[in-house]
Amino acid sequence: MTTLIRMTQAPSGVRLARVRTVAQDAMRGARWWTLLDLERTLRTDTEFWRDLWAPSLAIAGHKVGLKNARAKLDEAIDAGFHQTDLFEPELSAAFGADPDWAAVLERAKANVPAPPLRITSWPQPGAAAPLRLDRIEAHRELQLLTRLPRPGKGAWRTARDLLAWTSGLWRHANARINVGDAVDVLEQVANGARYSCVEYSIVLAQGLNALKIPARRVWLRRGDYHDGVGQGHAVAEAWIDDLDRWVLLDGQHGAYWADEDGRPLCLPELQARERPAKPVHVGARQAIQDPGLWSAYFAHASVTGAAWAPEGFVPLFQDGQVLPTERLLRDPADAYPRLSDLAIGVTAQDGEPAVRIRPEHPYAVGGVWNGDPITAPVKAPVERRFTRLLDRTPGDHKADLAALTPYGPLATRELRWTAA
């Protein structure tokens, strides 16, 4: 009794915390009368009375033989209690013989409320190997940017402009720089050097990435490339935001390839064609004169970070050099993630549930929600530009999500949720 008197004299929060501890210990130790003596205080515990203390006191009352012990359980169920499974087998042992016990359990089960919020449909990126881009070292990027044409309106316009510019920098020669990056190549070209297709691919791929267009180098090889001469060709490829696709770009020839409808093509599409695609030239010189001859280079390929060979990979080139690859694939689709894809995460924003857009695009600068960029205070963390609170107005909701890049919004993906 002295302990309980001290509890009533203690501050409310401290007293309740101590009573909870005593009650839990009494439950674990089967000290039922101790638990029952705490009922008055436990009733003030609005957080746990319905879901913990009332069912526990019903069990305790049965254990000591109190009449109408189930009344506290009925009281809890009337108040919304439904977690009967947490108190089994004690509840059934105490009241399972009651003729209305099945109805009691059904009443409790009916108390389960609808979730206040349920996300019912969300975007998910397709499976693909990790993406590796061909980028210049970060501390060299500004030096490269000062040498490049200014970006145009849209990613495709910018990529074509850079393709034309790259192809006109020098006339092709078989010399190789062997080491170095795009800045080194451009500096040597300014001094009169001329290089091979490899150096065109370096300048083009690293230049595109500097302009925030995801790009990587591509090594093309003819059939039976392990012997002979002239068996390889180096180009680049880029993810073009406004086309929502990868496109192969030949820096040496200032060209890309298109289908019969004029749609720019990616490498796997070129490999799958039965007849050569048409090259489209944007540069001023070095045009492809024999498309059939050059299409033979699409027989085998590898890109920055991966190679694929459905019928087996030959790791040696014409002069016996090893063809290194970080990841060997069977399906070329695994090397081509759709960079407009996005995933979503769930987070708390100001204490409320929110969705965070997680773009696949490496140069995403924010998210778009139903056509409008997600705004955030100037000093807010960058994650805020990808995060949006979920509308909790009762009913069904839908939003079109997209990543935002320096060239505009990407293709949308749908999100659906229901609020109760």
Side-chain angles (χ1 to χ4, degrees):
M1 181 62 69
T2 303
T3 300
L4 291 178
I5 291 175
R6 284 204 300 269
M7 285 182 183
T8 59
Q9 294 172 343
S12 176
V14 176
R15 180 175 74 248
L16 185 56
R18 293 180 62 185
V19 170
R20 286 173 173 174
T21 301
V22 172
Q24 289 170 349
D25 289 344
M27 290 167 61
R28 295 190 185 101
R31 298 193 301 274
W32 306 117
W33 281 113
T34 300
L35 181 61
L36 290 165
D37 285 343
L38 295 173
E39 177 181 349
R40 179 176 296 179
T41 305
L42 293 175
R43 279 186 174 276
T44 68
D45 188 357
T46 56
E47 183 179 358
F48 291 121
W49 169 252
R50 184 195 77 177
D51 295 319
L52 178 59
W53 304 129
S56 298
L57 288 167
I59 293 170
H62 172 77
K63 293 287 188 180
V64 301
L66 294 181
K67 293 182 178 181
N68 203 24
R70 208 189 82 183
K72 293 183 179 61
L73 176 62
D74 292 333
E75 176 188 344
I77 292 174
D78 289 342
F81 171 71
H82 58 83
Q83 294 178 279
T84 56
D85 59 311
L86 297 182
F87 296 88
E88 294 293 4
E90 287 83 1
L91 278 180
S92 292
F95 309 114
D98 293 359
D100 63 341
W101 183 238
V104 170
L105 294 179
E106 285 300 315
R107 283 174 50 219
K109 184 178 179 180
N111 281 335
V112 179
L117 197 64
R118 185 191 298 274
I119 299 173
T120 56
S121 178
W122 57 89
Q124 183 172 324
L131 178 65
R132 280 261 286 108
L133 302 177
D134 200 292
R135 304 181 63 176
I136 197 167
E137 294 290 335
H139 69 279
R140 302 266 282 176
E141 186 171 85
L142 183 58
Q143 297 179 57
L144 177 56
L145 278 170
T146 60
R147 292 168 164 84
L148 300 178
R150 294 181 61 84
K153 185 177 181 181
W156 185 222
R157 177 76 265 172
T158 301
R160 284 182 294 168
D161 288 348
L162 190 66
L163 177 61
W165 176 81
T166 301
S167 70
L169 288 170
W170 69 88
R171 292 190 67 83
H172 176 269
N174 286 322
R176 293 286 312 280
I177 196 170
N178 294 323
V179 295
D181 56 25
V183 171
D184 292 324
V185 173
L186 294 175
E187 288 177 344
Q188 294 303 314
V189 166
N191 291 326
R194 293 164 56 189
Y195 293 113
S196 71
C197 58
V198 173
E199 285 68 31
Y200 285 107
S201 72
I202 292 172
V203 172
L204 183 55
Q206 293 185 3
L208 287 165
N209 280 299
L211 295 172
K212 307 309 179 188
I213 296 175
R216 56 192 178 184
R217 294 166 66 195
V218 179
W219 292 267
L220 303 175
R221 294 181 290 275
R222 297 166 62 89
D224 300 328
Y225 59 81
H226 58 279
D227 187 58
V229 295
Q231 297 281 41
H233 183 46
V235 295
E237 63 182 0
W239 171 267
I240 307 300
D241 291 353
D242 25 338
L243 301 181
D244 197 40
R245 60 178 16 252
W246 290 91
V247 176
L248 193 73
L249 304 168
D250 188 330
Q252 175 184 332
H253 296 101
Y256 63 92
W257 282 263
D259 64 13
E260 289 71 14
D261 296 323
R263 185 179 62 128
L265 298 174
C266 67
L267 176 56
E269 291 172 323
L270 290 165
Q271 290 184 311
R273 288 181 64 91
E274 295 182 357
R275 60 179 182 173
K278 176 184 177 182
V280 180
H281 293 91
V282 297
R285 60 188 182 192
Q286 303 183 35
I288 294 174
Q289 300 298 326
D290 188 345
L293 174 67
W294 283 95
S295 68
Y297 284 102
F298 300 140
H300 303 280
S302 56
V303 301
T304 306
W308 55 91
E311 298 178 0
F313 182 68
V314 178
L316 296 172
F317 194 51
Q318 60 189 24
D319 55 0
Q321 73 179 84
V322 175
L323 297 174
T325 184
E326 296 176 20
R327 189 178 294 263
L328 193 58
L329 309 172
R330 289 197 177 273
D331 187 348
D334 293 337
Y336 286 84
R338 192 177 183 190
L339 296 188
S340 58
D341 277 354
L342 53 87
I344 67 161
V346 177
T347 186
Q349 182 171 297
D350 303 325
E352 292 293 323
V355 163
R356 180 168 296 166
I357 296 173
R358 299 191 176 278
E360 291 289 282
H361 198 291
Y363 301 127
V365 295
V368 176
W369 188 279
N370 285 335
D372 296 322
I374 297 173
T375 58
V378 175
K379 295 184 178 181
V382 67
E383 290 82 4
R384 285 272 185 148
R385 296 202 297 268
F386 297 90
T387 305
R388 177 71 178 259
L389 289 170
L390 289 171
D391 188 344
R392 299 188 65 177
T393 304
D396 296 329
H397 301 271
K398 180 179 79 72
D400 290 324
L401 314 183
L404 181 66
T405 78
Y407 296 97
L410 301 183
T412 61
R413 303 291 186 271
E414 187 176 87
L415 173 72
R416 290 181 177 270
W417 71 99
T418 299

